[in-house]
Amino acid sequence: MKEILLCKCGELVLKGLNRHKFEDRLKKTLYWRLKKIGEFDIHACQSTVYVEPRSEGEDMAAALAACSRIFGIVGVARAVVCEKNIEDIKQKAGDYLKDALAAVRTYKVETRRADKRFPLTSPEISREVGGYLSDRYPHLQAQMEEPQLTVKVEVREEYAYVSAGVTAGAGGLPTGTSGKGMLLLSGGIDSPVAGWMMAKRGMELAGVHFFSYPYTSMEARQKVLDLAEVLTHWAGRMTVTVVPFTHIQTEIRDKCREDYFTLIMRRMMMRLAQRTAEKQDCQCLITGESLAQVASQTVQALNVTNAVCQMPVLRPVIGMDKEEIVSVARRIGTMDISILPYEDCCTVFTPKHPQTKPALDKAEEEERKLDVEALIDEALAGVEIITIG
Ligand code: ATP
Ligand code: MG
C-alpha cells in the first residue's frame, strides 16, 4: 500500500500575494529536512503539502516526526493513497486502518470531496465506507459524537486518501520568511526557548555565545552547541559564533564598581552581538530575558542595556513566568540539556548586591574606565564560527 503525508499549512494561506513565496520556502525546508531521511516528492496544492515517498521502503514515521517540527505546518496526517473509485477506497480503508480499528470500539467516517466530479457526494462516501467497515469489523460501532477514531476520506484531484488521526504540527510561519535574528545563546533554559519562539514566526536563526574560558568550561561550551543542535531540528541549519569573553570580564572585575558588573557585562554582550549580527546579515537580536527574573532584567536595567543597541532586541519570553518557559523547553527538547550543571559566564564574578535600579550615566561613567573599543576588537578577532545542522 502506498502511503503519503498530508501536511496542512497554517497561516500562510492567509498571506495573499505572498502565499507563493511562503509555499516555496516551506517546500524548500521540507526538501532539506527530508533529504536526511529518504527520497520524497513534495508538492503543494490547496493549503496542503503532499509528501510522497519515492519508494515503499522509506521511513514514514521519521518523516512524520520531521514534518511535525517544521514551522508553517499545523498538522500532519499519514494516509494511504487510493484510486478514485469507491471500491478501492473502502478496501484500502479496511486494510490500512486494520490495527487502528481493532484498538477502538466507536468510530465515524468524515469525507471531504475537493473533486466535485466524483460521482458520490461526501455523505454518500462516508456512508459507503462506514457500512463496509462495520460489516468487516463487527465490533465497531458508528458514533457521531466524540468517537474514539475518526476515519478521514479526502477525494482530491488525482487520488483519494484515507487517514485516521492528525499529528499536531509546529504551527507558525515557514523558516526564512521573517528575516534573520542573532540569538544570544547561553546554556540556560530561557534563551533556547526565546530563539525557538522567534523561529516559529518564520525567523532564521544565528547564535552567538560568550565564552569565559577557563572560568567556564569546555563542557559548558559544548552544552551550548548541543542546545543549538536541538534548535536546528526546528529552525534548520544555524551558525554559532563563540566569542572569547574572559578578558572583558576580568577587566570589568578589576576596574568597575561591583554593583554595576553584570550590567556592564550585558552592555558588552549587546555590543558584540550587534557587531556579529551585522556581519552575518541579521536584522535583530534575540535574548531570553524575562521581566524581573534577575536584577539585570528589571525595566531600568533593560533600559541601561538597551542604550547601546541600535538594532531591535526581541525578547519573546519577557512576559512569561519561569514555569511557562520550562513547559516550552520541555516540549521543544532543550530542557534536559539546559539543566546540565555547567556554569555560565553570568555566574562568574556576580556582584553580591547587583543594582536593580541602575542609572545610565553611572554605567557610562564606569565604562570610561575600560577601553571598550579595544576590548571589542580583541574579542571579535578571536571568534570561532561553528556551523550546526
Ligand atoms: P538563560 O536561561 O537564557 O541563560 P537567564 O535567565 O539565566 O537566561 P541571564 O543569564 O541574565 O538570564 O541572561 C539573560 C540573557 O542574556 C540570556 O537569555 C541570553 O539571551 C543572554 N546571555 C546570557 N549569558 C550569555 C552567554 N554566555 N552567551 C550568550 N548569551 C548570553
Ligand atoms: Mg543564564
Side-chain angles (χ1 to χ4, degrees), residues 89-362:
I89 295 172
K90 289 194 302 199
Q91 186 75 40
K92 292 242 173 77
D95 294 345
Y96 182 63
L97 302 176
K98 194 163 166 258
D99 294 343
L101 290 167
V104 299
R105 296 195 62 77
T106 59
Y107 82 110
K108 74 171 171 182
V109 182
E110 255 179 31
T111 303
R112 236 190 92 211
R113 191 182 60 144
D115 176 10
K116 302 293 177 206
R117 292 166 309 175
F118 193 78
L120 302 178
T121 64
S122 297
E124 283 168 349
I125 297 169
S126 296
R127 254 198 313 277
E128 283 273 338
V129 174
Y132 174 85
L133 293 175
S134 290
D135 286 348
R136 184 164 161 186
Y137 301 106
H139 73 284
L140 287 179
Q141 205 175 346
Q143 181 176 309
M144 294 307 115
E145 299 291 318
E146 297 183 26
Q148 289 169 296
L149 192 81
T150 300
V151 175
K152 281 216 170 104
V153 180
E154 297 187 45
V155 182
R156 301 257 182 156
E157 280 311 302
E158 273 193 79
Y159 295 101
Y161 305 98
V162 174
S163 62
V166 176
T167 302
L173 299 171
T175 301
T177 57
S178 297
K180 186 173 173 188
M182 180 58 73
L183 170 66
L184 285 82
L185 187 58
S186 69
I189 296 168
D190 307 330
S191 48
V193 169
W196 182 86
M197 286 176 75
M198 295 326 302
K200 182 151 94 75
R201 295 304 301 164
M203 192 163 264
E204 186 184 343
L205 298 180
V208 60
H209 177 67
F210 302 101
F211 183 45
S212 300
Y213 191 79
Y215 297 102
T216 62
S217 61
M218 287 309 278
E219 284 87 353
R221 174 183 177 281
Q222 186 56 44
K223 177 183 173 186
V224 170
L225 300 181
D226 292 345
L227 285 169
E229 213 261 330
V230 175
L231 288 177
T232 66
H233 300 168
W234 299 92
R237 171 175 291 185
M238 68 187 278
T239 57
V240 175
T241 302
V242 178
V243 182
F245 203 56
T246 317
H247 190 207
I248 290 177
Q249 284 199 283
T250 51
E251 281 286 293
I252 296 172
R253 177 198 59 189
D254 294 344
K255 296 185 178 159
C256 302
R257 69 184 247 208
E258 190 184 331
D259 57 346
Y260 274 75
F261 277 4
T262 314
L263 266 163
I264 294 165
M265 183 189 79
R266 298 208 50 77
R267 282 162 60 92
M268 292 303 280
M269 282 187 184
M270 289 302 196
R271 290 181 175 106
L272 287 162
Q274 198 159 258
R275 296 272 276 270
T276 312
E278 279 160 8
K279 280 192 196 146
Q280 297 183 22
D281 297 321
C282 299
Q283 297 88 36
C284 63
L285 303 180
I286 305 166
T287 75
E289 287 159 309
S290 164
L291 190 65
Q293 196 190 78
V294 289
S296 61
Q297 294 170 17
T298 63
V299 73
Q300 293 86 348
L302 291 173
N303 278 334
V304 171
T305 306
N306 247 17
V308 298
C309 303
Q310 285 94 49
M311 263 183 198
V313 181
L314 307 183
R315 298 178 169 94
V317 305
I318 194 75
M320 287 167 77
D321 295 345
K322 197 74 184 186
E323 294 92 284
E324 292 172 307
I325 300 173
V326 163
S327 90
V328 179
R330 285 195 202 289
R331 185 154 74 82
I332 67 175
T334 53
M335 188 65 186
D336 289 345
I337 303 172
S338 290
I339 56 177
L340 293 173
Y342 307 115
E343 62 302 311
D344 181 52
C345 70
C346 291
T347 53
V348 182
F349 315 137
T350 20
K352 277 189 212 70
H353 303 290
Q355 273 291 339
T356 54
K357 290 195 179 128
L360 180 58
D361 55 350
K362 293 226 175 66

